Amino acid sequence: MGLLPESRCCSVSGVRSGCDLAILNGNIVTMDKRTGRAEAVAVSGERIIGVGKNSEVRRLIGKGTKVLNLRGKTVVPGMIDSHIHFVDYGLSLTRIDLRNVQSIVEIQEKVASRVKAASPGKWVLGRSWDQERLKEKRYPNRHDLDRVSSENPVVLSRVCGHICVANSLALQLANVTKETPDPLGGQIDKDPETGEPTGILRDEAMSLIWKHVPSPTKADLIAAIEAASQRALSAGLTGVHALLRDSSYVEALQEARATGKLGVRIYMGIPVDLLENLINLGIKTGFGDHWLKIGCVKMLLDGSLGGRTAAMENPYSDDPGNKGLLLYREEKLRQIVSKAHDSGYQLAIHAIGDHAIELALDAIEEAQKKTPRKDHRHRIEHASIINPDQINRMASMKVIASIQPAFVTSDFWAIDRVGKKREEWVYPFKTLFKKTVAPAGSDCPVEHLDPLAGIWAAVTRGGFLPSERVTVDQALYMYTMNSAYASFEENEKGSISEGKLADMVVLSKDPFKTPPDKLRSIRIESVIVGGKVTKPRRS
Ligand SMILES: [Zn+2]
């Protein structure tokens, strides 16, 4: 009692009694160019104190050392998802999952069974339907939902999160009628004959309904963070750049951290409507610690490719006359970007279409010209349809391209949207990787959060535009070093290097020796965060 734990590497008396954790006989993929591969790692406290040969690390083993003999297993740095709606994902785990449904009838069945279990009046929420996968090849509408729910308001979001369908009761509670005008940046779909809303709401129009859905309580949010943490760890993520909806999410993350319910490190993406609050408090990008940090200021500039709401320079090939939509007028965009830039924040601008990307780059360039900053690391989120000139511009302006590899395999219809001529502008991951800093993420719950599925998608591209495939090494670099760089933490995370945080993942197989189509089946055997070893829960 009262003595310092013996397991500290350097005890107070100066006698080495061993490191806390020694990893031996590993195939250690350090992602550190100076080291390359190693056999062993020594950890003290939450940091790596040695990386090298078994014999070197063995010398650091003492009485209190926990030894992990890997018998040749592969270890990679803890992976970091650079774009995830982490808390929303946790909340979504409680909603009806429509990701794999294949017909409107199936949607009705799922809603009906949830309605049966809900008390009258309680909102029934679902997510991830995709009309492209539905037998009927059309959007579900209010009448489809009314057939199975008249007493409960129902809202189901499309897989992109930019479109939802609501039943009549939900529309009525939100007072959306044939007279309701489209809000700026949104659209209420209306029946061409009757003028009545069909139930489909796009982009900003969704907030007409969401305003009426009761907000999750603090306990709901903390439970969501805990659930999302478990899923993230099980997938091999030790850190995420979490895009947050409002201040209640920031508060819940803080409390989850204080009560030991936060399992992964969080770099927070603060919604731009809280920018004034941040400025008033004097809190800047980077405030916090290695578990919870104020990160970028996130703003949405356009919609999605799936919903044909991404802002394009030229019309959609499968919807002539439609060029998508912008959520900000150009002047307003420039104002906000300047303000955030001048006040020292990192910006993360959601821009999917080439028009949105162009405007975002214009605004950043103007802000940088007025107030030069050495290391702003502003980010474009998605950069989905991007031409070669824009990539060069991003490179010379040192703007980060935060990409989501899984999009290229899910958006199998993307080529219909943009046509053959713009084919090479669709998710050009390899060019982005080579010319800019490109961190990778999932945009979960839009896609599964599994980074190995992301690596598989980046490496195979589902066969689409093979010239833009990246290697396993490059894909892993995106999920580790580049994600760390995108949060200004390349000296703390992203590789297995002496002095860095001891965040590592043990894999069931070596991804460098696995055929590309099998990368997704690699399992996570253990996850180490800050030197603490956990076995993932299978779910
Ligand atoms: Zn997103």
Side-chain angles (χ1 to χ4, degrees):
M1 293 291 284
L3 292 172
L4 283 163
E6 269 194 79
S7 59
R8 289 292 134 147
C9 185
C10 302
S11 70
V12 270
S13 59
V15 179
R16 291 182 88 87
S17 61
C19 57
D20 290 333
L21 172 69
I23 300 173
L24 299 175
N25 300 313
N27 167 36
I28 297 172
V29 180
T30 64
M31 297 314 277
D32 183 332
K33 286 179 180 134
R34 295 162 305 180
T35 322
R37 299 285 171 110
E39 291 175 336
V41 183
V43 175
S44 186
E46 58 170 9
R47 303 250 167 203
I48 294 166
I49 57 161
V51 184
K53 294 203 170 71
N54 285 326
S55 55
E56 292 168 318
V57 168
R58 269 209 188 94
R59 264 183 260 139
L60 301 174
I61 295 177
K63 260 199 287 179
T65 304
K66 178 184 163 77
V67 178
L68 200 60
N69 182 351
L70 290 181
R71 300 186 170 83
K73 285 264 161 67
T74 298
V75 181
V76 297
M79 291 178 277
I80 303 166
D81 187 313
S82 69
H83 184 122
I84 180 170
H85 302 269
F86 188 73
V87 185
D88 292 320
Y89 168 61
L91 290 170
S92 79
L93 295 171
T94 63
R95 294 181 186 163
I96 313 172
D97 183 1
L98 302 169
R99 185 177 296 274
N100 294 316
V101 298
Q102 285 167 24
S103 68
I104 288 171
V105 175
E106 208 180 319
I107 293 179
Q108 288 171 320
E109 285 166 6
K110 292 205 179 230
V111 171
S113 83
R114 189 61 71 96
V115 165
K116 223 168 115 188
S119 46
K122 192 173 162 40
W123 287 74
V124 169
L125 306 174
R127 63 188 167 99
S128 304
W129 56 267
D130 182 352
Q131 80 285 356
E132 299 283 350
R133 290 178 191 273
L134 301 178
K135 211 167 62 191
E136 295 85 352
K137 291 282 173 221
R138 65 167 174 86
Y139 288 146
N141 60 41
R142 65 194 289 185
H143 307 295
D144 297 324
L145 302 182
D146 288 349
R147 244 160 251 148
V148 286
S149 179
S150 51
E151 313 265 298
N152 295 78
V154 179
V155 189
L156 311 175
S157 347
R158 191 183 176 277
V159 63
C160 62
H162 290 269
I163 294 179
C164 69
V165 58
N167 71 345
S168 295
L169 181 56
L171 293 169
Q172 193 191 320
L173 290 170
N175 202 18
V176 174
T177 65
K178 69 202 276 192
E179 275 79 43
T180 314
D182 287 344
L184 179 69
Q187 185 185 317
I188 303 164
D189 280 19
K190 290 182 180 152
D191 187 306
E193 276 164 27
T194 63
E196 292 288 343
T198 64
I200 292 285
L201 304 166
R202 296 171 195 262
D203 290 287
E204 282 306 298
M206 295 193 301
S207 55
L208 299 173
I209 289 265
W210 283 117
K211 275 200 302 231
H212 295 269
V213 178
S215 315
T217 62
K218 201 201 274 182
D220 292 337
L221 292 172
I222 292 172
I225 291 162
E226 197 176 12
S229 292
Q230 285 312 320
R231 297 285 184 110
L233 286 171
S234 302
L237 293 168
T238 57
V240 299
H241 301 183
L243 304 167
L244 309 179
R245 196 179 287 276
D246 59 36
S247 58
S248 69
Y249 286 29
V250 180
E251 191 188 359
L253 280 165
Q254 241 179 298
E255 194 155 327
R257 201 247 155 134
T259 51
K261 287 172 178 158
L262 183 61
V264 294
R265 304 183 192 277
I266 306 273
Y267 185 67
M268 292 186 275
I270 305 294
V272 71
D273 35 303
L274 294 177
L275 178 61
E276 288 295 330
N277 301 52
L278 286 176
I279 292 174
N280 289 339
L281 260 174
I283 286 179
K284 309 249 185 267
T285 295
F287 178 82
D289 62 17
H290 298 312
W291 277 99
L292 190 55
K293 215 174 241 192
I294 295 286
C296 48
V297 170
K298 163 83 191 297
M299 63 191 297
L300 266 176
L301 187 49
D302 65 351
S304 75
L305 205 53
R308 298 185 187 84
T309 47
M312 309 286 282
E313 292 284 339
N314 293 298
Y316 284 91
S317 298
D318 57 358
D319 189 6
N322 176 17
K323 295 207 239 175
L325 47 87
L326 288 168
L327 275 62
Y328 289 92
R329 296 204 174 86
E330 222 178 305
E331 193 43 45
K332 185 82 187 154
L333 170 71
R334 284 168 191 267
Q335 263 173 29
I336 297 172
V337 167
S338 276
K339 183 171 232 176
H341 174 88
D342 293 355
S343 316
Y345 298 95
Q346 178 192 40
L347 275 153
I349 306 176
H350 164 121
I352 288 186
D354 54 355
H355 184 55
I357 293 168
E358 193 72 20
L359 295 184
L361 292 176
D362 288 348
I364 293 170
E365 191 172 60
E366 186 185 282
Q368 176 72 353
K369 216 174 262 168
K370 259 192 336 208
T371 315
R373 272 173 61 187
K374 247 204 199 105
D375 197 14
H376 55 74
R377 303 197 195 183
H378 294 318
R379 314 161 39 144
I380 302 276
E381 301 300 309
H382 311 306
S384 302
I385 311 297
I386 181 163
N387 69 48
D389 290 342
Q390 292 176 325
I391 298 178
N392 288 334
R393 242 186 119 189
M394 283 183 80
S396 69
M397 289 166 62
K398 295 198 162 59
V399 171
I400 290 170
S402 167
I403 59 165
Q404 294 70 40
F407 284 5
V408 75
T409 48
S410 297
D411 299 358
F412 50 87
W413 34 258
I415 193 70
D416 301 339
R417 298 280 187 278
V418 301
K420 200 76 189 150
K421 262 216 209 119
R422 287 178 283 187
E423 181 187 48
E424 293 189 0
W425 303 359
V426 182
Y427 303 122
F429 298 148
K430 187 176 179 181
T431 312
L432 286 169
F433 179 83
K434 292 219 151 141
K435 296 206 167 178
T436 69
V437 172
S442 61
D443 206 6
C444 175
V446 175
E447 298 285 344
H448 281 290
L449 85 173
D450 182 2
L452 283 159
I455 289 171
W456 164 81
V459 170
T460 64
R461 295 179 63 86
F464 175 70
L465 199 62
S467 58
E468 287 293 342
R469 283 177 181 157
V470 300
T471 64
V472 168
D473 189 56
Q474 291 167 335
L476 191 57
Y477 204 83
M478 290 175 177
Y479 275 101
T480 54
M481 281 306 293
N482 281 354
S483 286
Y485 179 87
S487 63
F488 299 87
E489 292 169 304
E490 71 276 16
N491 296 320
E492 298 286 345
K493 303 174 183 172
S495 69
I496 301 176
S497 314
E498 208 179 303
K500 283 196 180 180
L501 292 164
D503 296 351
M504 292 168 269
V505 178
V506 183
L507 303 176
S508 65
K509 281 189 202 137
D510 182 350
F512 292 84
K513 291 183 181 154
T514 303
D517 59 314
K518 296 275 189 305
L519 286 167
R520 271 187 300 183
S521 61
I522 295 176
R523 287 187 326 274
I524 306 299
E525 305 245 312
S526 333
V527 185
I528 301 162
V529 190
K532 285 217 172 72
V533 186
T534 53
K535 295 271 174 206
R537 278 186 222 161
R538 304 258 176 251
S539 54

